[in-house]
Amino acid sequence: MRRWLLVLTAATTALVLAALLVPLALLTRTHAEERATAEATARAQYVASGVGATLGSGAGSTAGPFVDGANTPSGPATSVILADGRVLGAPTRVTDAVRLARRGRAFTYAAPGGGRLVLVPVQGPEGGTAVVQVALTQGQLYEGMLASWLILAGIGAGLVLVGLLIADRLGARLVGSARRLAGVAERLSGGDLTARAEPSGPPELRLVAGELNHLAARISELLTAERENAADLAHRLRTPVAALRLDAEGLRDAEEAERIASGVAALEQQVDEVIRRARRPLRGPLHADLAEVARERAAFWLPLAEDQGRSVDVDVPGAPLWVAVPGDEVAAALDALIGNVLDHTPLGVGFRVLAGPAPGGAVLEVSDEGPG
């Protein structure tokens, strides 16, 4: 999301700046052209007034140095074409534009090879009309335009960077809010029903956070009610189990009474275990000591196994053997395996409970000596 927001901001900002800066760049070009033309016209008028006064007074010999002084290395080429065809200042030739200017018209026009020519007639000298010509090259006509364009480009790049910085900060807020919501959802999926989202970011994400909190509260309420139902059901089982135990104690056959009483005791232990699990917090540890659980469940089933004449071999390490599984789930799996041995093998068949380390984890095995 953050990257796409940056791309969208960069594209939008670039389009807006292009719509603004391109006309501004063209306006800068036109302004540079007009400024250079205005300066050349002013130069031509100045030279025309000076040359006209010199030629009108009869001191034509001083016109040449005056025109030469008007020409500078960095300035435009300035020429004066006299009526007899002689040229003072920068060399040039008599063109149709010069002949037109001799008729008393001052004008500018684009030179065929690029640049701009400014022609101003000099009224008053004897022998005909002279013409002052100021020639602007292409570089002189657009002098300073490149610097202006670079400044505009720098302003545009700066605005794009500012826009990206603002978009990045906004994107970080949006992404941070979304990631926090994802973290709360992950905690809820892991069984932590106390996880709650802190509403932040735009209104839509705040709404999602509120609904996620409502969902977590509702799940917690439903699980609590379900566990209460399980505990209540287990409590109700106590009465018939107690009656069954009393009936077993009243049997005349002592051996039969002892066998049934052992089964009833195991049933009572299971009922108590259901009640204890129902009363536990909703979020339990996500790891367990496999060796400890194996020893505890083997000891739990040992009385019933001995009553059926079965031998029980428990092979587990003395050190803790941690596995990434809740202890109650390991115990439930082990109870199911041992229960299968007791229910589906002949009396007297022994079994073995093995737990040990394995590559990448641990191994739990329940094997018996039955026919299979």
Side-chain angles (χ1 to χ4, degrees), residues 25-27 48 76 108 129 164 177 255 263 272 298 337 339 348:
L26 296 177
L27 181 62
T108 63
T129 302
L164 290 178
S177 300
E255 183 178 351
D272 293 339
L337 293 174

Side-chain angles (χ1 to χ4, degrees), residues 58-141:
S61 60
T62 62
F66 176 78
V67 176
D68 292 337
N71 283 295
T72 59
S74 60
T78 304
S79 307
V80 176
I81 302 96
L82 300 178
D84 57 3
R86 288 182 300 141
V87 178
L88 303 178
T92 186
R93 59 189 182 87
V94 180
T95 61
D96 293 337
V98 173
R99 298 186 185 96
L100 181 61
R102 284 175 177 172
R103 298 180 182 179
R105 297 182 58 185
F107 58 90
T108 63
Y109 73 98
R116 186 67 57 87
L117 293 178
V118 179
L119 292 96
V120 175
V122 180
Q123 302 291 342
E126 299 179 356
T129 302
V131 176
V132 177
Q133 175 180 287
V134 177
L136 292 169
T137 63
Q138 191 77 4
Q140 293 170 343
L141 185 62

Side-chain angles (χ1 to χ4, degrees), residues 13-32 34 145 148-149 152-153:
T13 307
L15 290 176
V16 173
L17 289 176
L20 293 176
L21 295 181
V22 170
L24 190 58
L26 296 177
L27 181 62
T28 303
R29 185 176 186 272
T30 303
H31 175 71
E34 292 177 350
M145 185 185 65
S148 300
W149 282 9
L152 291 177

Side-chain angles (χ1 to χ4, degrees), residues 47-252:
V47 173
S49 62
V51 171
T54 301
L55 296 178
S57 64
S61 60
T62 62
F66 176 78
V67 176
D68 292 337
N71 283 295
T72 59
S74 60
T78 304
S79 307
V80 176
I81 302 96
L82 300 178
D84 57 3
R86 288 182 300 141
V87 178
L88 303 178
T92 186
R93 59 189 182 87
V94 180
T95 61
D96 293 337
V98 173
R99 298 186 185 96
L100 181 61
R102 284 175 177 172
R103 298 180 182 179
R105 297 182 58 185
F107 58 90
T108 63
Y109 73 98
R116 186 67 57 87
L117 293 178
V118 179
L119 292 96
V120 175
V122 180
Q123 302 291 342
E126 299 179 356
T129 302
V131 176
V132 177
Q133 175 180 287
V134 177
L136 292 169
T137 63
Q138 191 77 4
Q140 293 170 343
L141 185 62
Y142 298 110
E143 184 179 0
M145 185 185 65
L146 179 60
S148 300
W149 282 9
L150 291 177
I151 292 174
L152 291 177
I155 293 174
L159 291 176
V160 171
L161 291 178
V162 171
L164 290 178
L165 180 61
I166 296 174
D168 182 69
R169 293 299 89 202
L170 292 176
R173 290 187 59 187
L174 290 176
V175 172
S177 300
R179 285 178 176 173
R180 284 191 291 271
L181 286 177
V184 172
E186 184 177 1
R187 289 172 59 191
L188 288 174
S189 66
D192 185 6
L193 298 182
T194 62
R196 293 294 184 272
E198 183 68 26
S200 61
E204 292 78 5
L205 289 181
R206 291 176 178 269
L207 179 62
V208 172
E211 294 299 324
L212 183 62
N213 291 339
H214 178 71
L215 177 62
R218 184 58 180 162
I219 292 174
S220 180
E221 292 174 0
L222 292 176
L223 286 178
T224 301
E226 188 67 23
R227 292 162 67 87
E228 290 295 333
N229 290 335
D232 182 65
L233 178 60
H235 276 294
R236 293 182 182 183
L237 289 176
R238 284 181 178 274
T239 300
V241 170
L244 183 60
R245 178 169 51 80
L246 293 176
D247 292 340
E249 293 176 354
L251 293 176
R252 296 180 179 179

